[in-house]
Amino acid sequence: MLHIAIIGSGPAGYYTAEAAAKEWGEDVRVDVFDALPVPYGLIRSGVAPDHQSIKGVSRRYEKTAFSDNVRFVGNVRIGKDVSIEELQKLYDAVVLATGAPQDRTLDIPGNDLRNVIGSAAFVGWYNGHPQFADLAPNLAGRHAVVIGMGNVALDVARILAKSEAEFTGSDIVAHAFDALRQSEIERITIVGRRGPYQIQMTPKELGELGELERATPHVAQADLPPEEEDAILEPGLRKSVAHLRQFAAIPDSERGTKPIVIDFAMFASPTAFLGDDTVAEVELERTGLVEGRAVGTGETFRLPADLVVTCIGYRTSPIEGVPFDERAGRFANEDGRILPGLYCVGWARRGPTGTIGTNRPDGYALIEKIASDFDSADRKKKEGRAGFDRMAAKRGLKIVTFQEWKRIEEAEAAAARDGSPREKFVDVEAMMQAIRPSA
């Protein structure tokens, strides 16, 4: 019997578990660990709450989770409740599928001002992640600045701009829903260092900005290259740029008919956040492109900013005893191999790139490497989950099984407001109470 521990129950973790079950069938036992009592990682706490069709991929992971040789082990903190070294003594292979849950930060003055928030924290706040449930951003100002030109920046801008009715069908948590209903934001500026041809926004998500009930997107015509140059772009980017051209063509008179403007400020790089205690302005330097890179021109300007959300990328959380590449913000590895018997997959391996679906071939490729390693290795017999269960019992760990997670899910569905699929628990104690009311 081959024993595999996978740390992280998001897409990378469950695709890897799926691949292991297909590779070895009944000759493998896979334990999928998560620090929270609930599974699915960024599917639950990263995907925008108004994108329920994307969240539906969890049904595929549920099929894997209910298989006889895969087990969910929730509410276990790796590095605190149990170490990597201890897991390696129990399992033949330990796979880190922990994603990239930490914000990359802008190393500029004023980054520590109040209401300057990283996207991991802001998205976690409106998605109900227990770590960020108490964030309480101040939405009483008129101006929000969102820094970044990827889909996360679009998510943040769209959530800030939506009307109450447009959240019907979403699972945005109650504390965020209530705060957004009272928001006084009138202008949202999306800032990017480069231009339209360098954006990372996908057409579907970008197009949604043009369909909002109470917000109008705006792009400056001067930021757009000649339209005939679009022909050289790959199809996805060409569609995204077409949306930007549509936004630029919206007349000023039409923009004035809706209470919120979503403005694109391209060729601008933030140099400082300004304010006494809370952010009040963003200082930016105008940029130009040199061989595709953004280069400062020395000309600066300022934008009013009562809220700033930085959406400039993510980093993996280091784990004691695991080699880490500080510059890349992920585990140091060669094609997923970190040390003998220790592997990584998904964002923990390659950094925060690709879509949810990208993790499937990544997980399958890693299992092929593990199979190759153990075909040629003189493998010692290890205890796997039986050994872990004894350790957990001795330490008094309150493990959450997948069947118990389903009870949490049922309780969240029962608590949902009208038009919402669920009302998420936003703290671990409440989740545990839903499982064991008498505890």
Side-chain angles (χ1 to χ4, degrees):
M1 184 67 66
L2 187 68
H3 298 281
I4 299 177
I6 298 174
I7 317 305
S9 67
Y14 267 117
Y15 281 127
T16 304
E18 175 187 284
K22 289 187 177 182
E23 176 72 24
W24 289 289
E26 289 304 311
D27 294 329
V28 70
R29 292 291 180 269
V30 182
D31 283 351
V32 181
F33 291 85
D34 202 292
L36 292 176
V38 295
Y40 305 144
L42 69 83
I43 298 298
R44 179 179 170 92
S45 60
V47 172
D50 55 347
H51 283 174
Q52 288 297 305
S53 61
I54 298 175
K55 290 177 182 281
V57 73
S58 63
R59 290 190 289 272
R60 175 172 183 155
Y61 309 147
E62 184 171 296
K63 182 178 179 181
T64 300
F66 274 126
S67 61
D68 293 336
N69 50 352
V70 176
R71 180 178 72 157
F72 174 67
V73 188
N75 201 39
V76 176
R77 300 166 299 173
I78 306 304
K80 293 184 178 180
D81 296 326
V82 60
S83 70
I84 290 293
E85 183 180 7
E86 288 172 322
L87 290 178
Q88 285 192 275
K89 290 178 180 178
L90 294 170
Y91 294 86
D92 299 291
V94 176
V95 179
L96 302 177
T98 53
Q102 293 186 352
D103 279 304
R104 289 187 181 272
T105 57
L106 275 172
D107 188 19
I108 60 175
N111 196 53
D112 57 349
L113 288 173
R114 290 162 59 97
N115 245 30
V116 176
I117 303 170
S119 57
F122 194 77
V123 171
W125 168 72
Y126 64 61
N127 264 325
H129 192 291
Q131 183 180 351
F132 305 112
D134 296 330
L135 184 68
N138 186 345
L139 306 181
R142 293 190 299 152
H143 300 276
V145 173
V146 180
I147 298 173
M149 283 283 172
N151 280 349
V152 175
L154 285 178
D155 287 344
V156 169
R158 188 180 67 254
I159 294 298
L160 285 172
K162 277 201 163 186
S163 67
E164 180 177 340
E166 286 176 301
F167 283 112
T168 301
S170 79
D171 64 353
I172 191 167
V173 291
H175 64 244
F177 182 61
D178 291 341
L180 289 162
R181 284 192 300 175
Q182 300 173 53
S183 169
E184 298 181 24
I185 291 172
E186 297 176 354
R187 180 173 291 272
I188 302 164
T189 304
I190 302 176
V191 175
R193 293 180 301 124
R194 298 187 292 172
Y197 285 3
Q198 290 78 38
I199 63 171
Q200 299 296 312
M201 299 167 172
T202 50
K204 179 180 180 298
E205 284 68 25
L206 190 55
E208 288 180 79
L209 289 192
E211 300 169 359
L212 295 172
E213 289 181 1
R214 63 183 194 134
T216 306
H218 173 247
V219 174
Q221 287 281 4
D223 285 339
L224 294 166
E227 189 168 356
E228 58 269 20
E229 295 181 12
D230 293 358
I232 66 171
L233 303 176
E234 58 88 15
L237 180 55
R238 188 161 61 246
K239 290 179 182 178
S240 293
V241 172
H243 283 305
L244 296 179
R245 295 192 184 281
Q246 290 170 359
F247 300 160
I250 296 173
D252 291 344
S253 58
E254 186 174 331
R255 285 202 299 276
T257 63
K258 295 184 179 181
I260 297 175
V261 171
I262 301 176
D263 198 22
F264 284 78
M266 299 186 185
F267 301 107
S269 179
T271 55
F273 302 124
L274 307 173
D276 293 331
D277 176 57
T278 301
V279 67
E281 291 182 304
V282 179
E283 181 184 82
L284 302 111
E285 181 181 15
R286 298 197 186 278
T287 63
L289 289 181
V290 178
E291 297 181 350
R293 293 176 59 249
V295 177
T297 64
E299 179 187 354
T300 63
F301 65 103
R302 293 181 179 183
L303 289 174
D306 303 297
L307 167 70
V308 173
V309 183
T310 59
C311 309
I312 59 170
Y314 302 108
R315 292 171 57 85
T316 295
S317 300
I319 298 176
E320 185 177 353
V322 180
F324 194 79
D325 185 336
E326 286 289 347
R327 183 173 182 179
R330 54 173 171 73
F331 296 116
N333 71 95
E334 293 186 11
D335 292 328
R337 294 181 175 97
I338 301 174
L339 296 169
L342 182 61
Y343 304 84
C344 58
V345 70
W347 284 8
R349 178 189 74 82
R350 65 183 189 270
T353 61
T355 65
I356 290 169
T358 307
N359 293 293
R360 184 181 185 277
D362 205 7
Y364 274 74
L366 183 70
I367 288 301
E368 288 180 6
K369 292 181 178 68
I370 293 175
S372 173
D373 291 347
F374 283 98
D375 282 345
S376 59
D378 182 15
R379 184 160 59 89
K380 297 178 181 179
K381 184 177 180 180
K382 296 193 176 182
E383 292 184 274
R385 66 176 56 165
F388 173 79
D389 288 348
R390 280 197 301 274
M391 178 191 296
K394 186 176 181 179
R395 295 179 182 179
L397 302 183
K398 298 177 181 179
I399 294 173
V400 174
T401 66
F402 199 82
Q403 288 76 10
E404 288 173 323
W405 142 246
K406 294 298 290 183
R407 286 158 63 181
I408 296 174
E409 186 179 46
E410 290 171 3
E412 290 182 338
R417 65 182 177 274
D418 289 345
S420 175
R422 65 188 64 82
E423 180 58 50
K424 296 176 188 172
F425 293 111
V426 297
D427 66 82
V428 171
E429 185 177 340
M431 295 174 187
M432 299 302 290
Q433 189 71 15
I435 298 170
R436 302 158 187 160
S438 62

